Amino acid sequence: MTIQGTMIIGHERRLGTAGSIKAIDPSTNTEMEPSFGLANSDDVDDACELARLAFDTYRETTPEQRAVFLESIADEIMALGSDLLDRAHRETGLPMARLEGERGRTMNQLRLFAKVVRDGHYLNATLDSALPERAPPRPDLRLRKIALGPVAVFGASNFPLAFSVAGGDTASALAAGCPVVVKAHSAHLGTSELVAQAVQSAARKCNMPVGVFSCLIGDGRQIGQELVSHPAIQAVGFTGSRQGGMALMRTAAQRHQPIPVYAEMSSINPVFLMPHALTNKTAQIATGFVDSLTLGVGQFCTNPGLVIAIDSHELDQFLDAARTAMQAKAAATMLTPGIHQAYVKGTAQLKQVAGVTEIAEGQAASPSQACAAQAQLLSCNAPQFLSQPELRDEVFGPASLVVRCASLDEMQTVAESLEGQLTATVHATAADYDYVQPLLPVLERKAGRILFNGFPTGVEVCHAMVHGGPFPSTSDSRTTSVGATAIDRFLRPVCYQAFPAELLPASLRDDNPLGLARVVDGALVVK
Amino acid sequence: MTIQGTMIIGHERRLGTAGSIKAIDPSTNTEMEPSFGLANSDDVDDACELARLAFDTYRETTPEQRAVFLESIADEIMALGSDLLDRAHRETGLPMARLEGERGRTMNQLRLFAKVVRDGHYLNATLDSALPERAPPRPDLRLRKIALGPVAVFGASNFPLAFSVAGGDTASALAAGCPVVVKAHSAHLGTSELVAQAVQSAARKCNMPVGVFSCLIGDGRQIGQELVSHPAIQAVGFTGSRQGGMALMRTAAQRHQPIPVYAEMSSINPVFLMPHALTNKTAQIATGFVDSLTLGVGQFCTNPGLVIAIDSHELDQFLDAARTAMQAKAAATMLTPGIHQAYVKGTAQLKQVAGVTEIAEGQAASPSQACAAQAQLLSCNAPQFLSQPELRDEVFGPASLVVRCASLDEMQTVAESLEGQLTATVHATAADYDYVQPLLPVLERKAGRILFNGFPTGVEVCHAMVHGGPFPSTSDSRTTSVGATAIDRFLRPVCYQAFPAELLPASLRDDNPLGLARVVDGALVVK
């Protein structure tokens, strides 16, 4: 498979004619070949109409067919070999080892959803028997979940594989039975084209209906809005900025038929250092924190951008240790020139806010390094933090703010003042648990995941993961974009009343041919 | 308990001071005593703030405490005895037998949710074990669902008990662990006050936190908007008009922090008569249809407002039988003068639409009957239906439109043209199944519940029920407002990573003290 600057629209490979763009190598800030053709409205319409036409067939493929399709996508991506990693490395500046790991994670996601589809637990199969003797008689009632409809997916800049063309949103939507139309992220166009070809190839090999998958290239604002406005699209998956996510939310809410938007947007991921942990594990926490902060040049949704602790001698020691660790961190290339500019501007603005002081810096970029970010650790006290809401905004990159509190009560007040978060972290020893207890209900209200004695970067792909949280960390706190239950976003329940046995879907037949665990007359029955 | 025109705000009974209104007896179109005081903004704020303060305590009551609270609400409502039914009868014009049945249904709902809370299946308890040897190590991860936060509930006019102050929305929100603030419907103010007192009494007896429940009286537009805009409110349950639901959706989407709105709005509930069923069961279906259409003066969300069949001699026979059945139906009092006026206007407008002909009428109202509706059966052909979207709008009341199709293909086209519905019904014999097969995927996309050989009125309260459907039948097709899974609307997942055993919630402890069925390392484990 080769990079030709084309989109994938069903079985077709199409060069967009509404202008062209090139990918940029952020390490040199130079354009790369080839040119990519941009979509026009007809291309959007073609992809969406094909998805609409594919929907009824695709959603009723058997679990085994859909699972094999997902596994085949994984195989086709692996078959791209080092061409994929090389291109992704050049387009994103991310190190090869990281990209290899991210590819592994992408495979895991696809295979996890293959398992989820085979298990069938997501169908929520539920049967209530007829009660003909009751007055009034109760009819036979059966519930299963079905796919919502075609889904628009917007890839993230910071995970060119795991949250992009064949990333978590696409994998979970395909698993649910939804055709997918991806808007490729302009930060990794060649990577996107390669992966899109891999998905197309898997769809062909698995005899999936034309239109089960398309991948468009185009201007985010124009093509993105057209995609979300298209009547065939029934849900949206997005990972990116708060501004971008909220624009899609508005468009989706203003449609004639409003649709759900699953936007993962912004989070500063507070880390609470409780007194005994701070005393007993000062250096260990400081090193772990700086490693987490600078991992991947701080370009993770779960980057620890806020530290909350009691102003104390121990905190000073923690900051000394963090300073030493940070001084050893080299500047590194960010994903795009735009992201780098926003980081430089964002950290400069933070430093201007009243009461904010500089604690430590990573190494400065060398003159030959384009788009390289220098890590930043800043500090303020709690009253300053509480009175200046701009300190609660995310600065995407390796910058963090330490909030010095006068007391445990003030730590609690800072916690209450936070907006919704993907994660909240607590460092505590057993001696701290009495202090942690009143903090936990606050953190449950604020975050989708609460961690003890770890760091929030590193989002495990498993059944119990929640990568979600209250607004503005996401648009919909009821869901997760990582982990097995991400499939629930793309489903809706349908009830079948007094259906003839011949017409029931397999998941609801008396003989339970799929071997599902089902709720029967209110009791869970495992076959 | 007595009707004094007051609101319930936490433990307090408060007479609103922002003006007053009286309930209206629709059978005579006259005002009833006493006056009800209207809420001002401070009352709204007080109720919401109390709910906010109650939230952390209430959501962590034990399953048994919450179940007993729900059962206690049921007991307290029963203890109101005939006072409640008498008042509801006078305020709504609904017959006593219907109200007695509806009270039974309301008890069933509260008791079903008590069972749901005790079962704990809704918690989605999920555990993934630590894998310390893996590179990188996997931390211990556990997921449960927690309550969203305080919920605003807007009662429906047409179910003064089952979809009102202590109806399905309130029961499922309280079951989930969400405090509830109800906006009482002005169509049954006294009924609302009595039920609100019953809930308050149950909350007191069960030692629930102050603020777990409040009930406001006020102008729908003003107080309703203030309630949905209040920062403490985290979700909205609504049953009513499309216009009203969409106004709340807009308000909720425009908040600084957008919140979910579960609005059940409008549905015309198509009934498809397949050829063999129409031939073999003409009179039976006609009688059943007219009974369903006129049940409760047609004031059900699932009232069959549309019939689709092939234009044929058999259809003429069906319409003859329907005419005979309808002529035996007396006019009956509608819920409010406003609903009656809208029905008269809506049916008159329908008759003006090009190609619409009158098939049958029920008996006209006698001069002494105020607000009494006459049943109406109209007809048009498929091209007329397809080209005039106003024929797809709901007319609330006992009116239905028969669409004559030239062929099975045209029936399919009519199905595809429909907006989202709560229900779709098929009348078919085994000889029709070949024709039904291609129709089913369309109906699955259009409706939340598909019925065979029955009528959509009568919504069973059970585990497999879906009372929901694609827009505009509801604002959120992913949910149901009736049945056990209605609780899912008021929950969100939280993941606990590497938590100390001492701090884990009971549902996620190793020893599983609640005896929950849980997903452990990807496999469902029933204790």
Side-chain angles (χ1 to χ4, degrees):
Chain A
M1 295 178 190
T2 54
I3 301 173
Q4 298 175 4
T6 59
M7 301 181 280
I8 297 295
I9 298 182
H11 277 184
E12 193 190 336
R13 206 166 162 174
R14 187 186 296 181
L15 188 66
T17 57
S20 72
I21 46 170
K22 288 185 175 175
I24 288 171
D25 178 341
S27 71
T28 56
N29 204 353
T30 55
E31 288 188 336
M32 294 167 67
E33 292 305 318
S35 286
F36 288 79
L38 299 177
N40 58 30
S41 304
D42 288 343
D43 298 320
V44 175
D45 192 51
D46 287 351
C48 294
E49 276 303 304
L50 281 175
R52 190 179 63 76
L53 291 171
F55 177 51
D56 280 344
T57 309
Y58 180 62
R59 71 184 168 93
E60 291 304 326
T61 48
T62 65
E64 188 59 25
Q65 285 170 325
R66 224 144 62 241
V68 168
F69 175 39
L70 291 166
E71 289 163 345
S72 172
I73 294 172
D75 294 342
E76 293 288 327
I77 292 172
M78 284 308 291
L80 293 168
S82 59
D83 285 0
L84 177 66
L85 301 184
D86 290 344
R87 177 78 191 192
H89 172 63
R90 289 183 59 208
E91 288 186 331
T92 65
L94 293 172
M96 290 299 279
R98 145 75 194 268
L99 289 166
E100 210 163 325
E102 189 180 326
R103 184 178 61 177
R105 177 206 175 92
T106 309
M107 304 300 100
N108 286 349
Q109 287 179 162
L110 289 159
R111 295 197 174 108
L112 174 69
F113 284 111
K115 173 187 169 353
V116 166
V117 170
R118 287 195 179 98
D119 286 350
H121 199 57
Y122 75 95
L123 291 163
N124 280 35
T126 304
L127 287 72
D128 284 315
S129 311
L131 298 174
E133 312 297 325
R134 201 194 62 175
R138 181 170 87 177
D140 181 281
L141 291 153
R142 304 178 190 224
L143 176 157
R144 70 161 175 167
K145 288 203 170 173
I146 71 168
L148 265 186
V151 172
V153 170
F154 292 78
S157 63
N158 61 340
F159 278 91
L161 302 172
F163 281 87
S164 190
V165 173
D169 284 342
T170 297
S172 53
L174 290 176
C178 299
V180 169
V181 180
V182 173
K183 212 291 279 171
H185 201 291
S186 55
H188 48 268
L189 291 164
T191 307
S192 296
E193 186 180 358
L194 287 171
V195 174
Q197 286 177 76
V199 180
Q200 186 191 46
S201 170
R204 273 225 187 83
K205 287 183 182 169
C206 296
N207 290 314
M208 290 293 142
V210 182
V212 68
F213 175 82
S214 292
C215 181
L216 299 168
I217 296 166
D219 175 67
R221 260 161 297 197
Q222 190 206 326
I223 295 300
Q225 294 296 329
E226 285 184 23
L227 189 50
V228 173
S229 305
H230 196 284
I233 296 298
Q234 295 297 303
V236 179
F238 168 89
T239 304
S241 69
R242 183 166 177 172
Q243 193 187 0
M246 291 197 66
L248 296 184
M249 286 167 71
R250 275 192 298 274
T251 303
Q254 284 159 9
R255 286 168 51 118
H256 174 71
Q257 173 221 10
I259 56 172
V261 173
Y262 303 106
E264 199 234 282
M265 298 183 289
S266 75
S267 182
I268 52 174
N269 304 296
V271 177
F272 293 83
L273 306 180
M274 304 311 287
H276 290 92
L278 193 56
T279 303
N280 297 330
K281 300 192 287 181
T282 320
Q284 182 192 333
I285 300 175
T287 315
F289 164 67
V290 171
D291 285 349
S292 175
L293 178 66
T294 56
L295 189 71
V297 207
Q299 300 168 121
F300 289 109
C301 323
T302 53
N303 192 55
L306 192 71
V307 176
I308 299 117
I310 290 179
D311 202 359
S312 58
H313 176 61
E314 289 77 10
L315 180 58
D316 291 336
Q317 289 185 314
F318 169 85
L319 295 177
D320 285 343
R323 186 179 300 113
T324 305
M326 201 170 249
Q327 283 163 354
K329 296 291 179 187
T333 302
M334 296 193 85
L335 292 157
T336 71
I339 287 173
H340 178 249
Q341 281 157 23
Y343 177 72
V344 171
K345 191 175 159 197
T347 49
Q349 280 174 341
L350 269 187
K351 291 176 188 172
Q352 299 301 316
V353 177
V356 171
T357 58
E358 298 177 37
I359 299 289
E361 288 185 334
Q363 293 166 14
S366 74
S368 69
Q369 277 182 300
C371 309
Q374 182 178 18
Q376 302 279 348
L377 188 60
L378 307 169
S379 173
C380 70
N381 66 31
Q384 287 155 345
F385 180 79
L386 293 168
S387 63
Q388 301 177 99
E390 60 268 42
L391 292 177
R392 272 165 258 171
D393 292 341
E394 181 181 18
V395 176
F396 191 69
S400 194
L401 177 69
V402 179
V403 180
R404 299 168 184 268
C405 300
S407 64
L408 288 162
D409 278 354
E410 203 167 60
M411 286 179 77
Q412 185 97 6
T413 306
V414 168
E416 280 285 9
S417 80
L418 297 173
E419 295 190 291
Q421 305 290 336
L422 293 172
T423 70
T425 300
V426 177
H427 283 269
T429 68
D432 290 311
Y433 292 170
D434 283 352
Y435 316 144
V436 175
Q437 206 95 53
L439 191 59
L440 286 182
V442 184
L443 301 186
E444 284 179 328
R445 276 190 273 111
K446 300 287 177 181
R449 178 165 56 112
I450 308 171
L451 306 76
F452 264 76
N453 300 328
F455 290 96
T457 45
V459 180
E460 185 72 30
V461 177
C462 61
H463 292 80
M465 178 49 64
V466 177
H467 189 63
F471 183 87
S473 69
T474 79
S475 56
D476 190 339
S477 72
R478 296 164 295 175
T479 63
T480 173
S481 62
V482 176
T485 55
I487 193 174
D488 295 340
R489 298 178 297 168
F490 302 115
L491 299 166
R492 49 173 276 259
V494 174
C495 174
Y496 301 80
Q497 178 172 325
F499 251 58
E502 300 92 314
L503 297 176
L504 276 172
S507 52
L508 297 181
R509 280 190 212 136
D510 282 343
D511 61 347
N512 194 7
L514 303 180
L516 303 172
R518 310 196 288 193
V519 174
V520 180
D521 293 325
L524 184 63
V525 177
V526 181
K527 202 188 180 180
Chain B
M1 295 176 190
T2 55
I3 301 173
Q4 300 176 3
T6 58
M7 301 182 281
I8 297 295
I9 297 182
H11 277 184
E12 194 190 334
R13 205 164 163 177
R14 187 185 294 180
L15 188 67
T17 57
S20 72
I21 45 171
K22 287 185 176 175
I24 289 172
D25 178 341
S27 71
T28 56
N29 205 355
T30 53
E31 289 188 335
M32 295 168 67
E33 292 305 319
S35 286
F36 289 80
L38 300 176
N40 59 29
S41 304
D42 288 343
D43 299 320
V44 175
D45 193 52
D46 287 350
C48 294
E49 276 303 303
L50 281 176
R52 190 179 65 74
L53 291 171
F55 178 51
D56 281 344
T57 309
Y58 179 62
R59 70 184 169 94
E60 292 303 326
T61 49
T62 65
E64 188 58 25
Q65 286 170 325
R66 224 145 62 241
V68 168
F69 175 39
L70 292 166
E71 290 164 343
S72 172
I73 294 172
D75 295 342
E76 294 288 326
I77 292 172
M78 284 308 290
L80 292 168
S82 58
D83 286 0
L84 177 66
L85 301 184
D86 290 343
R87 178 77 190 191
H89 171 63
R90 288 183 59 207
E91 287 186 330
T92 64
L94 294 172
M96 291 299 280
R98 146 74 194 269
L99 289 166
E100 209 164 324
E102 188 180 325
R103 184 178 60 177
R105 178 207 175 94
T106 309
M107 304 300 99
N108 288 348
Q109 288 178 161
L110 289 159
R111 296 198 173 108
L112 174 69
F113 284 111
K115 174 186 166 0
V116 166
V117 170
R118 286 195 180 98
D119 285 351
H121 198 57
Y122 75 94
L123 291 163
N124 280 34
T126 304
L127 288 71
D128 284 316
S129 310
L131 299 173
E133 311 298 325
R134 201 194 62 174
R138 181 170 86 176
D140 181 280
L141 291 153
R142 305 180 189 221
L143 176 156
R144 70 160 176 168
K145 289 202 170 175
I146 71 167
L148 264 186
V151 172
V153 170
F154 292 80
S157 63
N158 61 339
F159 279 90
L161 302 172
F163 281 88
S164 191
V165 173
D169 284 341
T170 297
S172 53
L174 289 176
C178 298
V180 168
V181 181
V182 173
K183 211 293 278 169
H185 200 291
S186 55
H188 48 267
L189 291 164
T191 308
S192 296
E193 186 180 359
L194 287 172
V195 174
Q197 286 177 77
V199 180
Q200 186 190 47
S201 171
R204 272 224 188 84
K205 286 183 182 168
C206 296
N207 290 313
M208 290 294 141
V210 181
V212 68
F213 175 82
S214 291
C215 180
L216 299 168
I217 295 166
D219 175 67
R221 261 162 295 198
Q222 190 207 326
I223 295 301
Q225 294 296 328
E226 284 183 24
L227 189 50
V228 174
S229 305
H230 196 284
I233 296 297
Q234 294 298 302
V236 179
F238 168 89
T239 303
S241 70
R242 183 166 177 172
Q243 193 187 0
M246 293 198 64
L248 297 183
M249 287 167 70
R250 276 192 297 274
T251 303
Q254 285 160 9
R255 285 168 53 120
H256 175 72
Q257 173 223 9
I259 56 172
V261 173
Y262 304 106
E264 198 235 283
M265 297 182 290
S266 74
S267 182
I268 53 173
N269 304 295
V271 177
F272 293 82
L273 305 180
M274 304 312 286
H276 290 92
L278 193 56
T279 303
N280 296 329
K281 299 192 288 182
T282 320
Q284 183 193 332
I285 301 174
T287 315
F289 164 67
V290 172
D291 284 349
S292 176
L293 178 65
T294 55
L295 189 71
V297 207
Q299 301 168 119
F300 289 109
C301 323
T302 54
N303 192 53
L306 192 71
V307 176
I308 299 117
I310 291 179
D311 202 358
S312 58
H313 175 61
E314 288 78 10
L315 180 59
D316 291 336
Q317 289 185 313
F318 169 85
L319 295 177
D320 285 344
R323 185 178 301 114
T324 305
M326 202 171 248
Q327 284 164 353
K329 296 292 179 186
T333 303
M334 296 192 86
L335 292 157
T336 70
I339 287 173
H340 178 249
Q341 281 157 20
Y343 176 73
V344 171
K345 189 175 160 198
T347 49
Q349 280 173 342
L350 269 187
K351 291 176 189 173
Q352 299 301 316
V353 177
V356 171
T357 57
E358 297 177 39
I359 299 290
E361 287 184 334
Q363 293 167 13
S366 74
S368 69
Q369 275 182 301
C371 309
Q374 181 179 20
Q376 302 279 348
L377 189 59
L378 307 169
S379 173
C380 70
N381 67 32
Q384 287 156 344
F385 181 79
L386 293 168
S387 62
Q388 300 177 101
E390 62 268 41
L391 293 178
R392 272 165 258 171
D393 292 341
E394 181 182 19
V395 176
F396 191 70
S400 193
L401 177 68
V402 179
V403 180
R404 300 166 183 268
C405 299
S407 64
L408 288 162
D409 279 354
E410 204 166 60
M411 285 178 78
Q412 186 97 5
T413 305
V414 168
E416 280 286 9
S417 78
L418 297 173
E419 294 190 291
Q421 305 290 336
L422 293 171
T423 70
T425 300
V426 177
H427 282 270
T429 69
D432 290 312
Y433 291 170
D434 284 352
Y435 316 144
V436 174
Q437 206 96 53
L439 191 59
L440 286 181
V442 184
L443 301 186
E444 283 178 328
R445 276 190 272 109
K446 299 289 178 180
R449 178 164 57 112
I450 309 172
L451 305 78
F452 265 76
N453 300 328
F455 290 96
T457 45
V459 180
E460 186 71 30
V461 177
C462 61
H463 293 80
M465 179 48 64
V466 177
H467 190 63
F471 183 87
S473 69
T474 79
S475 55
D476 189 339
S477 72
R478 297 164 294 175
T479 63
T480 174
S481 62
V482 176
T485 56
I487 194 174
D488 296 340
R489 298 177 295 167
F490 302 115
L491 299 166
R492 48 173 277 259
V494 174
C495 174
Y496 301 80
Q497 177 171 325
F499 251 58
E502 300 92 315
L503 296 176
L504 275 172
S507 52
L508 299 180
R509 280 189 213 137
D510 282 343
D511 61 347
N512 193 8
L514 301 180
L516 303 172
R518 309 196 290 192
V519 174
V520 180
D521 293 326
L524 184 63
V525 177
V526 181
K527 200 188 181 181

